[in-house]
Amino acid sequence: MTYEPAADRYEKMTYRRAGRSGLKLPAISLGLWHNFGDGRPWDRQREIVLRAFDLGVTHFDLANNYGPPAGSAESNFGRMLAADLRAHRDELVISTKAGYHMWNGPYGEWGSRKYLVSSLDQSLRRLGLDYVDVFYHHRPDPDTPVEETMGALDAVVRSGKALYVGISNYSSEQTAEAARVLRDLGTPLLIHQPSYSILNRWTERDNLLDTLEEAGAGCIAFSPLQQGLLTDRYLGGIPDDSRVRTSVFLNESDLDARTMGRIHALNDIAGRRGQSLAQLALAWALRDPRMTSLIIGASSVGQLENNIAALDNASLSKEEIDEIDATVLDL
């Protein structure tokens, strides 16, 4: 059956401008990091992606190594583009990244021009696209000059393989230098993708949003739900199929008594607001207008819908923000 997107999809979503650019992103974007590899049913993946688009999610975030196996998320999303979304390509913002290990040998990771251009070419083949909207350098390279890495990002824009460029996991100081090099090259930095959540405040300590504002760039946070900690997933214990059991990014030590006490206290705040814990966490992460978007994952349509519903009650009072800070920070 031919897919027809919801006619009212753009009435359901809030859009925010990325820095001083002309590009707007949905306040919540869909990331294809964990649940879109070959180990997950393709029909379920397709259902989530199409429902996201029906709800006004126009931005789909990928990377070369997303899966598993690496590359499979791009291939699976490429199938969805070909089968359902090709007619809507100009309504979509599709991003991908390169920086982590992708293939063997000295040219398969980090930040050389050789690796970045080769990786993007591979990503485009898997996606079945002529260009992506945003191409990110996924992590700083301690050995490659920033001029080479940013020069590669500039080159892929000039070649037509990407419309905009971004960086991810860069410190504030590294971000300022990257933005300066890109500005001098004539391809401004569009956006930075850091980790950020109620429990993960490094961007605040590093003044990253101030640096991005000065550079005219936006910010899009990943892991705003702290790998599922800021959901109801662990309120009653550790499920056997949870990321604590199955992922290298979260382990049982992350759920110590102190952390769980904070999570239960945050859940109480969410309950008083008539929200789930996840919805509170997303509303909190969007409280600064300089935060362009948040990247969420989803393993089901219901989870996706619940998280996007955070936008129905996204305003936090100063008193609520202060209470959240008192709950999680050593004030």
Side-chain angles (χ1 to χ4, degrees):
M1 186 171 64
T2 302
Y3 166 68
E4 290 291 339
D8 62 347
R9 59 193 178 276
Y10 295 118
E11 300 168 20
K12 300 176 179 179
M13 178 56 63
T14 300
Y15 298 89
R16 294 183 171 190
R17 191 173 301 278
R20 292 195 292 269
S21 77
L23 185 68
K24 292 182 179 180
L25 296 180
I28 293 180
S29 300
L30 182 62
L32 279 66
W33 180 13
H34 286 297
N35 299 305
F36 295 83
D38 288 345
R40 305 294 179 117
W42 186 80
D43 287 345
R44 185 187 303 166
Q45 297 180 32
R46 174 178 177 267
E47 184 183 20
I48 293 168
V49 166
L50 297 186
R51 181 58 178 151
F53 189 48
D54 283 342
L55 293 172
V57 176
T58 54
H59 178 217
F60 298 90
D61 180 80
L62 298 114
N64 58 356
N65 63 335
Y66 286 179
S72 60
E74 289 179 328
S75 296
N76 289 330
F77 188 69
R79 287 177 62 193
M80 296 173 216
L81 284 170
D84 301 294
L85 294 170
R86 184 69 62 186
H88 305 282
R89 172 64 183 98
D90 292 338
E91 298 177 62
L92 303 176
V93 174
I94 300 168
S95 62
T96 196
K97 314 177 196 72
Y100 286 95
H101 181 268
M102 191 60 189
W103 63 87
N104 292 331
Y107 319 120
E109 63 180 324
W110 292 111
S112 71
R113 180 185 292 255
K114 168 71 173 173
Y115 166 65
L116 292 175
V117 174
S118 298
S119 180
L120 179 54
D121 286 342
Q122 293 176 23
S123 292
L124 291 173
R125 287 194 292 271
R126 287 190 289 267
L127 290 164
L129 295 175
D130 296 324
Y131 71 94
V132 292
D133 297 276
V134 188
F135 183 54
Y136 289 88
H137 185 221
H138 209 164
R139 61 171 172 171
D141 184 341
D143 298 318
T144 299
V146 67
E147 289 80 7
E148 177 176 345
T149 301
M150 296 306 114
L153 297 186
D154 173 68
V156 300
V157 170
R158 295 184 185 279
S159 69
K161 297 176 183 179
L163 300 185
Y164 302 92
V165 294
I167 55 177
S168 181
N169 297 305
Y170 277 53
S171 71
S172 184
E173 181 179 1
Q174 292 166 328
T175 296
E177 179 65 5
R180 181 193 64 78
V181 174
L182 284 169
R183 184 172 58 250
D184 290 346
L185 290 168
T187 298
L189 175 67
L190 175 77
I191 202 162
H192 184 297
Q193 188 175 134
S195 62
Y196 182 58
S197 76
I198 289 177
L199 300 176
N200 173 16
R201 307 284 191 99
W202 77 266
T203 60
E204 296 176 10
R205 295 190 299 271
D206 203 33
N207 297 315
L208 181 63
L209 282 178
D210 292 339
T211 298
L212 291 170
E213 183 176 30
E214 185 174 345
C219 187
I220 179 168
F222 71 90
S223 294
L225 301 179
Q226 197 68 27
Q227 296 290 310
L229 284 183
L230 292 168
T231 71
D232 60 7
R233 186 80 161 133
Y234 300 101
L235 291 173
I238 304 176
D240 289 338
D241 61 347
S242 66
R243 285 188 190 172
V244 169
R245 306 290 193 207
T246 62
S247 171
V248 299
F249 298 100
L250 197 64
N251 56 61
E252 198 161 342
S253 64
D254 295 316
L255 278 73
D256 58 28
R258 186 182 189 190
T259 298
M260 291 310 302
R262 289 171 168 173
I263 290 172
H264 280 279
L266 291 169
N267 188 57
D268 290 342
I269 297 171
R272 296 199 302 270
R273 287 171 48 83
Q275 288 184 309
S276 68
L277 175 56
Q279 290 169 345
L280 172 68
L282 294 172
W284 179 90
L286 284 168
R287 72 197 187 287
D288 191 314
R290 297 175 297 179
M291 183 64 72
T292 310
S293 182
L294 305 176
I295 297 173
I296 62 165
S299 58
S300 69
V301 166
Q303 187 182 75
L304 173 80
E305 291 173 341
N306 178 269
N307 288 342
I308 291 177
L311 300 176
D312 296 336
N313 184 17
S315 297
L316 289 160
S317 69
K318 182 181 183 303
E319 290 74 22
E320 288 171 324
I321 292 171
D322 289 344
E323 184 179 5
I324 290 168
D325 286 346
T327 299
V328 301
L329 300 179
D330 297 321
L331 299 177

